């Protein structure tokens, strides 16, 4: 997926859903360990754009472990907060987190492309690091617009351009190493990272007055192999690599390590994790 195709074809969409459902069952612990603290500052940056207000109703789509929803409820106790995710395992985790934090937030299993809410049910809709996992982001954004009241606000974050994210580096290495034999092009994760692409998707789905901010982030590792190994278990990327023949796995890993050397500094490899923060009005 080297281009900027936003809506995945039916075959690719089915493969993505199948793999992500499986990965999120097996990878709850991995996701929790890798992003609970690493993503805290980025969640707060997104929440700062959401104009949280007491008495408002907020929907967090693709809530995952519920961090955005829970932190929104903590920042603004007077809000009604609901989180939805397609993964029952993630929803169970979100409920457990909310209970442990004594936060009044409601969570449900739900597809972002088929939100089971009445029209104009919410004042704020958020989606942190989730929209790029949806096969048809335009349908998902249209559903978010449908359930948002007039004048309501959307705040979402997606991975930035492929050239500025580790996901893009992984996708390129997988393409190169597998010679196109991987079951799914991992580039789906960065297909919304272009400002023009996400702007058009918002306009096509009923949102207006969109604003984008590219947030540059990075993390430092001693060797690229550490990132490769970390992505190997409990992730969609890990399932794609595991299905390859050993020679293709080795070639993809070597390609990734080689590409990461371009980011080496004296204290280690500065792995890029840029993301786009987006807001729009209903």
């Amino acid at each position: 997926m080297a281009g900027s195709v936003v809506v995945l074809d039916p075959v690719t969409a089915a493969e993505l859903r199948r793999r992500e459902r499986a990965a999120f069952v097996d990878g709850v612990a991995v996701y929790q360990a890798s992003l609970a603290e690493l993503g805290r500052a980025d969640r707060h940056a997104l929440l700062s754009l959401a104009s949280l207000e007491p008495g408002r109703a907020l929907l967090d789509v693709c809530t995952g472990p519920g961090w955005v929803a829970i932190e929104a409820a903590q920042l603004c106790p007077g809000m009604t907060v609901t989180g939805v995710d397609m993964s029952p395992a993630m929803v169970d985790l979100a409920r457990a987190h909310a209970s442990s934090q004594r936060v009044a937030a409601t969570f449900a299993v739900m597809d972002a492309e088929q939100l089971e809410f009445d029209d104009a049910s919410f004042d704020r809709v958020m989606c942190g690091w989730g929209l790029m996992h949806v096969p048809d982001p335009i349908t998902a954004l249209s559903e978010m617009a449908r359930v948002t009241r007039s004048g309501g606000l959307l705040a979402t974050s997606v991975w930035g351009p492929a050239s500025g994210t580790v996901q893009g580096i992984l996708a390129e290495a997988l393409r190169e190493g597998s010679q196109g034999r991987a079951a799914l092009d991992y580039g789906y994760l960065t297909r919304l990272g272009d400002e023009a692409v996400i702007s058009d998707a918002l306009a096509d789905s009923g949102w207006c007055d969109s604003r984008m901010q590219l947030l540059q982030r990075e993390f430092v590792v001693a060797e690229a192999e550490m990132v490769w190994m970390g992505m190997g278990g409990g992730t969609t990327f890990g399932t794609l690599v595991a299905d390859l023949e050993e020679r293709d796995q080795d070639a993809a890993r070597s390609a990734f390590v080689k590409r990461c050397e371009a980011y080496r500094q004296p204290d280690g490899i500065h792995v890029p994790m840029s993301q786009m923060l987006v807001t729009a009005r209903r």
Side-chain angles (χ1 to χ4, degrees):
M1 191 168 302
S4 57
V5 176
V6 173
V7 179
L8 304 182
D9 65 82
V11 173
T12 304
E15 182 68 16
L16 173 60
R17 286 183 180 279
R18 184 182 72 81
R19 287 183 177 270
E20 293 219 326
R21 283 194 181 101
F24 286 139
V25 168
D26 298 335
V28 167
V30 173
Y31 196 92
Q32 168 78 357
S34 63
L35 288 176
E37 291 303 324
L38 184 62
R40 188 178 298 277
D42 296 333
R43 294 194 297 274
H44 284 185
L46 182 63
L47 284 162
S48 71
L49 300 176
S51 298
L52 304 180
E53 296 179 34
R56 302 289 189 177
L58 179 146
L59 174 65
D60 181 32
V61 181
C62 304
T63 194
W67 295 319
V68 168
I70 291 167
E71 289 167 20
Q74 290 172 329
L75 286 169
C76 192
M79 289 194 77
T80 300
V81 178
T82 304
V84 299
D85 198 279
M86 73 169 186
S87 167
M90 285 294 186
V91 168
D92 286 345
L93 185 59
R95 287 170 176 159
H97 283 161
S99 177
S100 68
Q101 297 289 319
R102 297 184 179 180
V103 167
T106 301
F107 296 94
V109 177
M110 203 173 297
D111 190 329
E113 294 181 28
Q114 295 178 309
L115 296 176
E116 300 167 23
F117 300 107
D118 292 337
D119 295 356
S121 294
F122 298 93
D123 305 287
R124 304 287 185 267
V125 178
M126 302 189 69
C127 184
W129 285 348
L131 196 57
M132 54 276 189
H133 292 276
V134 179
D136 186 345
I138 294 177
T139 293
L141 286 168
S142 296
E143 278 290 275
M144 294 179 207
R146 179 184 64 78
V147 303
T148 302
R149 298 183 179 113
S150 178
L153 178 70
L154 167 73
T156 184
S157 57
V158 298
W159 293 120
S163 60
T165 66
V166 66
Q167 289 78 13
I169 302 171
L170 287 163
E172 290 177 351
L174 188 58
R175 288 188 204 109
E176 179 182 331
S178 70
Q179 297 292 300
R181 288 184 284 268
L184 183 69
D185 190 321
Y186 197 59
Y188 71 87
L189 272 183
T190 57
R191 72 191 192 279
L192 296 172
D194 182 276
E195 185 171 327
V197 171
I198 187 67
S199 179
D200 287 347
L202 289 164
D204 290 345
S205 53
W207 295 97
C208 63
D209 193 25
S210 60
R211 299 284 188 272
M212 287 88 180
Q213 174 189 350
L214 185 63
L215 191 63
Q216 302 284 4
R217 289 282 194 263
E218 62 183 27
F219 63 96
V220 183
V221 295
E223 299 295 339
E225 290 278 1
M226 298 171 64
V227 180
W228 184 269
M229 291 175 63
M231 293 295 295
T235 67
T236 303
F237 182 81
T239 71
L240 294 171
V241 173
D243 285 350
L244 295 174
E245 293 185 6
E246 187 173 349
R247 64 176 185 179
D248 289 344
Q249 293 184 25
D250 291 342
R253 182 173 60 251
S254 295
F256 178 71
V257 170
K258 181 178 179 180
R259 289 175 184 276
C260 283
E261 284 302 312
Y263 301 92
R264 184 176 289 281
Q265 297 184 27
D267 60 338
I269 296 173
H270 287 237
V271 182
M273 287 187 67
S274 71
Q275 60 187 281
M276 193 82 71
L277 300 182
V278 181
T279 59
R281 287 281 177 187
R282 181 72 177 98

